[in-house]
Amino acid sequence: MELGDLEQLQASFRHEAADLLIDLGGALLQLEQEPLNAEVVNRVFRAMHTLKGSGASAGFRRLANFVHHVEEVFNRIRNQQLQSTPELIDATLKACDCCEMLLELGSTASDTPLPLEIEVLAAIRPFLPEMDKATGKTQPAKMASGPARYKIGFRPNREIFFSGTDPASLLLELTDLGEIEIRCDTADLLHADEFDPEKCYLCWEVCVETKQPEDAVRAVFLFVEDDCEVSIEREEPAASARTESKNKDARFRDAAEQCFTALGFALEQCQSGDEKQGLGTAHRAAQTLISAGKAHGHAGATAAAGEILAAILVVQQGGILDAGWLLNVRLLIEAARIAVGAPAAAPTAISSQLAPTKAAEAPPAPEAATGAAAASIRVDAVKLDALMRLAGELLVARGALPAFAERVELIAREESPKSMAKEMRDAGAKVSRLADDLQATVMSIRMMPVRQVFQRFPRLVRDLARNLDKNIELHVSGEETELDKTVIDRIGDPLTHIIRNAADHGIESKADRAQKGKSAVGRIDLSAYTRGSTVVIEVKDDGKGLDPAKLKRRAVEKGLLSESAVAAMDEEAAFKIILVAGFSTVDKVTDVSGRGVGMDVVRNGVEALHGAVHIKSEIGKGTRFRIELPASLLVSKAIRVAVSGHEVVLPIDTIRNMVKIPKSVVRTVQGQQIAPVRGTVFPMLWLAHALSFGRMEERRAELAVAIIEAASGPYGLVVDHFLGEVEIVVKPLNGVLAKVPEYVGAAIMGDGKTVLVVNTERLFSLQRSAAVTQNDPPVALPH
């Protein structure tokens, strides 16, 4: 396999492993509630088996070996030799965390065990028949008489690849059981009339010498035995340890010689000009020699092969392949032959013509970047088909324009200009329609269900409940609600802090709930739903609720707000004090909360997504957090407005209505200007004043007002003129403007002009906060 192909395979496996671990976590939590549910046990076992097999195929041998131990426990549960217990579920959930760490370490990680790895293996040890303390490999208690030898015939189905199974991964699993000998039969390949690269023409004969029971050998082929020919026969083991060692040495020398032959062929390819193919062959041969040396315990051969691989990587990573490099690699190969004890190769023409050069030092093999996984999206095939169809139609429509231009040149004198103008408008309208459909389809591809975020919280609530010694249930709904991938990636942390806060501060202790006559089990509801172009996520608990008077008093005691500031707050504003940085209602810091940081993360995280947080609470009954988020951060509709000679845009999602009112109806009450609009009185804000643009036009008798629906309440935003609706792509601001809260970004208009996008959600609150806290300590109030 080429180095780039291996990296691609490992990146793909990381995606698959992330999904498997999420499914595994959910299955384990269900198994904790239903320990006798055989289907859930099988679901856990299948996820582990796939994780182990796919991990081994992608080169994550350490991960595969670790999962193998845990899988062995659930194999015993599946065979009704064990029963699931809370202690076992705890250990297996920790094993999932350990798997995530091993994924981060990659396929070339050191053999030094992680602390969590040691903890998990120690926790599952009582559930295994016997475990070798030196190797960490499980051994059956009834196999003390010695190893057994099994002869395995494995002929895969020709279409095995279409089921997602790699035969090589099954053979690699056998290496975990003990010493193996493999012979590949290529007869079907040689006799095939027409070769199809997507089919499997190979079959294998494998001899395994192991202390594991026959069931462990058969378990390797558990999921393919119905579609493939698998035969397993027990044979007599090797006659003596000396014979076994001799056979092992012979197998190692044979494998090493094959590697040397492949390396020689690879150098000939490089010399003949086929550098890419030759380097790929040499890379695979050197890696195989390293693996063989490690398996045999031959440190000298392993080190020599490592030097060969390092020299190959120098060229693969941008170095120069010249005569000196070729000779240097040949000298390294001869050194490896000596280390292995193989006979020296016959001298070649190239070795007599080239002068020796010093081997360049190479960096270790690059590991696939784990961050790449977060930058990719799994796409529904139906959406891709729609995208391809639209792209094809757009190409056809584009091709019609040059033909139309030629026709205009030929018959411009004969036809009416109005007729040609109509055809041109029709052609433009068709392209515009296709562009709209294309945009909508691409947007739908970026949309992902919130399930991907919500799936992490059942485990979180379970662990919190145990840590806090409370009984808490999490009820989830609306998992199919879709959000833009960017929002999905960034909303997890705010929700985590809200749920942790609800479990720690909201839900009462067992004794307090019993004293209040409440259910013994506290409840947290997590839900999501769509409202127009906004997605709403709610977290609600049935705990003790928030006391606004206590919150105000605490804020004053901590010096976060003055007494005059809290006196001017209504109930909802008081609830939002908990979102101020540094605020906490507890005096003792715990592992869960108490530092006054978490809820500030909620406010900053939601505002960074152009969203809003609303809090409602009732003492003794519970608290509800409602987070309103835009479904997408990329393309949105907006209203262009003119104000004091400038042009800005207002997000249409926050606009309830656009009206014109007589200027004479505006009144000032306690320093705040208000005006009635269609029977309702709204506070008014002049956009020119809020953005420091100067004075607005004063000669007009009517005012253009946009009624804005904001978290702090609706208000009227006065502008000079409404210029029309437009679709925009919001770009984030950089530099000094990035720190100006009155704007959420910028957009480029169709004429190339750049305009700023106003943060209508926070604009009125910013003005009000500036007025309220004018003489108070400088603190950012939540909005």
Side-chain angles (χ1 to χ4, degrees):
M1 183 182 294
E2 299 287 349
L3 182 61
D5 294 339
L6 178 62
E7 292 177 349
Q8 196 172 31
L9 176 62
Q10 291 179 346
S12 177
F13 170 70
R14 283 190 171 94
H15 284 294
E16 179 187 6
D19 291 343
L20 285 170
L21 289 173
I22 289 175
D23 183 63
L24 181 57
L28 288 169
L29 294 178
Q30 185 179 353
L31 184 61
E32 186 174 36
Q33 303 297 323
E34 308 171 35
L36 300 180
N37 191 324
E39 179 54 37
V40 180
V41 173
N42 288 330
R43 180 180 161 195
V44 171
F45 183 79
R46 283 194 298 268
M48 290 183 177
H49 195 79
T50 305
L51 190 64
K52 181 182 77 170
S54 299
S57 299
F60 290 82
R61 300 292 299 158
R62 181 172 169 183
L63 171 67
N65 290 334
F66 173 74
V67 176
H68 172 73
H69 301 316
V70 189
E71 179 198 39
E72 181 66 22
V73 175
F74 279 86
N75 187 40
R76 299 190 70 205
I77 296 176
R78 196 167 58 94
N79 294 330
Q80 298 183 348
Q81 296 172 313
L82 278 178
Q83 187 171 351
S84 174
T85 65
E87 293 76 17
L88 178 58
I89 297 297
D90 280 337
T92 312
L93 287 171
K94 290 181 180 178
C96 293
D97 298 336
C98 188
C99 286
E100 292 180 358
M101 295 181 182
L102 293 175
L103 279 172
E104 292 293 329
L105 289 176
S107 59
T108 58
S110 67
D111 295 330
T112 305
L114 300 170
L116 184 58
E117 197 174 354
I118 297 173
E119 180 184 348
V120 170
L121 291 176
I124 66 172
R125 190 184 300 271
F127 301 99
L128 292 170
E130 184 179 335
M131 182 176 281
D132 191 319
K133 296 181 180 179
T135 64
K137 292 188 176 181
T138 56
Q139 299 179 359
K142 297 182 180 180
M143 295 300 293
S145 59
R149 185 179 176 87
Y150 297 94
K151 182 179 180 181
I152 304 169
F154 177 39
R155 181 182 293 274
N157 187 310
R158 287 278 177 90
E159 283 76 28
I160 190 172
F161 298 128
F162 294 101
S163 66
T165 303
D166 182 1
S169 67
L170 303 179
L171 300 177
L172 285 171
E173 283 192 55
L174 292 174
T175 63
D176 294 331
L177 302 179
E179 295 294 329
I180 69 170
E181 299 175 17
I182 301 178
R183 186 181 70 84
C184 180
D185 187 351
T186 60
D188 289 353
L189 176 62
L190 298 176
H191 293 94
D193 295 332
E194 294 184 5
F195 176 72
D196 185 345
E198 295 184 346
K199 293 184 178 181
C200 180
Y201 296 89
L202 305 178
C203 58
W204 291 268
E205 185 178 280
V206 186
C207 290
V208 181
E209 196 161 321
T210 178
K211 294 182 180 181
Q212 297 286 345
E214 184 174 335
D215 287 345
V217 180
R218 294 189 178 278
V220 173
F221 303 95
L222 181 67
F223 296 116
V224 298
E225 59 185 355
D226 293 337
D227 299 324
C228 304
E229 296 180 22
V230 180
S231 62
I232 301 176
E233 300 176 1
R234 181 166 179 168
E235 295 183 335
E236 290 300 321
S240 65
R242 176 179 295 180
T243 302
E244 178 182 354
S245 177
K246 184 177 179 180
N247 290 339
K248 184 177 179 180
D249 290 341
R251 290 196 299 270
F252 170 65
R253 284 195 299 273
D254 289 343
E257 186 58 40
Q258 291 180 20
C259 292
F260 293 138
T261 302
L263 285 167
F265 175 70
L267 294 186
E268 291 177 5
Q269 287 180 301
C270 293
Q271 189 181 8
S272 64
D274 192 0
E275 295 182 2
K276 183 178 180 181
Q277 189 69 26
L279 289 172
T281 303
H283 187 104
R284 291 191 295 272
Q287 280 190 323
T288 303
L289 185 56
I290 291 173
S291 299
K294 287 183 177 179
H296 186 69
H298 201 308
T302 304
E307 292 184 12
I308 297 172
L309 181 61
I312 294 167
L313 287 170
V314 168
V315 178
Q316 286 185 321
Q317 295 173 359
I320 300 175
L321 194 162
D322 54 14
W325 180 87
L326 288 168
L327 178 58
N328 178 60
V329 174
R330 284 197 179 277
L331 293 175
L332 292 175
I333 293 173
E334 291 306 315
R337 281 181 175 277
I338 295 172
V340 170
T348 61
I350 187 173
S351 61
S352 62
Q353 296 172 5
L354 303 178
T357 59
K358 183 178 180 181
E361 295 183 358
E367 184 62 45
T370 57
S376 60
I377 304 175
R378 293 193 174 188
V379 181
D380 189 336
V382 175
K383 294 181 178 179
L384 280 181
D385 291 342
L387 186 62
M388 288 297 296
R389 176 183 58 78
L390 286 170
E393 290 185 20
L394 191 60
L395 288 175
V396 172
R398 184 190 67 179
L401 294 178
F404 182 72
E406 292 179 5
R407 181 164 168 260
V408 169
E409 292 179 356
L410 291 175
I411 59 176
R413 298 178 180 177
E414 300 179 7
E415 291 193 13
S416 167
K418 290 185 178 181
S419 175
M420 288 188 295
K422 181 180 181 301
E423 290 189 33
M424 185 173 289
R425 282 195 298 269
D426 291 343
K430 183 177 181 181
V431 173
S432 178
R433 177 185 61 79
L434 289 173
D436 289 342
D437 291 345
L438 189 63
Q439 172 191 305
T441 304
V442 173
M443 290 290 294
S444 70
I445 288 176
R446 288 187 57 87
M447 302 299 284
M448 304 169 66
V450 295
R451 181 193 307 108
Q452 300 198 23
V453 180
F454 284 9
Q455 282 176 329
R456 73 175 72 170
F457 297 125
R459 165 82 184 278
L460 173 67
V461 171
R462 173 191 180 273
D463 292 346
L464 285 172
R466 292 194 167 213
N467 187 30
L468 299 169
D469 192 26
K470 296 179 180 180
N471 293 327
I472 306 175
E473 288 183 351
L474 177 68
H475 296 262
V476 180
S477 61
E479 292 178 291
E480 298 301 322
T481 305
E482 291 189 334
L483 273 169
D484 187 276
K485 180 184 182 298
T486 304
V487 182
I488 288 286
D489 291 341
R490 294 163 61 182
I491 195 59
D493 284 345
L495 287 176
T496 298
H497 286 293
I498 292 176
I499 290 175
R500 289 170 66 91
N501 197 69
D504 191 17
H505 300 308
I507 303 297
E508 305 94 335
S509 65
K510 297 176 182 177
D512 288 345
R513 293 185 70 87
Q515 185 178 2
K516 295 177 181 179
K518 288 188 173 184
S519 168
V521 180
R523 175 171 177 143
I524 298 177
D525 290 287
L526 175 62
S527 61
Y529 57 90
T530 302
R531 190 182 66 188
S533 59
T534 300
V535 172
V536 180
I537 299 177
E538 290 189 352
V539 181
K540 182 171 61 174
D541 66 70
D542 65 347
K544 57 188 176 184
L546 297 173
D547 184 347
K550 181 181 178 181
L551 295 176
K552 293 179 180 180
R553 184 170 62 252
R554 188 73 173 180
V556 173
E557 291 173 357
K558 283 183 165 287
L560 298 174
L561 297 172
S562 67
E563 293 187 4
S564 60
V566 298
M569 289 182 173
D570 58 16
E571 187 178 71
E572 184 175 359
F575 291 149
K576 289 188 177 181
I577 291 176
I578 66 173
L579 303 180
V580 175
F583 181 84
S584 177
T585 57
V586 297
D587 298 313
K588 182 180 179 181
V589 176
T590 67
D591 292 337
V592 179
S593 61
R595 294 175 174 83
V597 176
M599 300 308 289
D600 180 47
V601 171
V602 173
R603 183 193 67 177
N604 292 334
V606 173
E607 288 180 355
L609 295 172
H610 308 161
V613 182
H614 304 272
I615 305 175
K616 287 188 176 181
S617 185
E618 189 173 348
I619 297 177
K621 293 187 177 181
T623 303
R624 183 185 70 179
F625 284 81
R626 188 174 82 250
I627 299 176
E628 296 180 353
L629 298 164
S632 173
L633 296 181
L634 289 183
V635 179
S636 59
K637 292 184 178 180
I639 299 297
R640 295 168 52 229
V641 299
V643 54
S644 296
H646 300 274
E647 181 179 332
V648 295
V649 293
L650 312 178
I652 203 170
D653 295 341
T654 61
I655 300 177
R656 179 195 296 183
N657 206 344
M658 292 182 292
V659 297
K660 287 189 176 183
I661 63 172
K663 188 176 181 180
S664 58
V665 302
V666 179
R667 297 286 185 271
T668 301
V669 178
Q670 296 181 351
Q672 172 66 59
Q673 291 186 318
I674 61 173
V677 178
R678 296 181 178 177
T680 303
V681 177
F682 295 95
M684 309 302 287
L685 176 65
W686 266 250
L687 184 58
H689 172 71
L691 301 181
S692 302
F693 281 171
R695 301 182 66 84
M696 300 179 62
E697 297 180 10
E698 298 182 353
R699 292 174 297 176
R700 293 176 291 113
E702 286 188 326
L703 299 178
V705 179
I707 303 301
I708 305 296
E709 190 68 55
S712 57
Y715 69 94
L717 186 62
V718 183
V719 302
D720 286 348
H721 304 284
F722 295 115
L723 301 178
E725 182 178 321
V726 65
E727 287 190 336
I728 57 172
V729 177
V730 181
K731 301 288 186 180
L733 297 171
N734 297 316
V736 177
L737 282 176
K739 301 178 182 180
V740 180
E742 284 81 5
Y743 302 106
V744 296
I748 300 176
M749 299 291 99
D751 57 2
K753 181 169 57 178
T754 301
V755 297
L756 293 171
V757 183
V758 179
N759 188 352
T760 52
E761 175 66 40
R762 294 191 59 194
L763 196 61
F764 186 73
S765 298
L766 288 168
Q767 297 295 311
R768 186 173 62 177
S769 298
V772 171
T773 61
Q774 186 174 4
N775 298 317
D776 293 336
V779 58
L781 280 172
H783 306 291

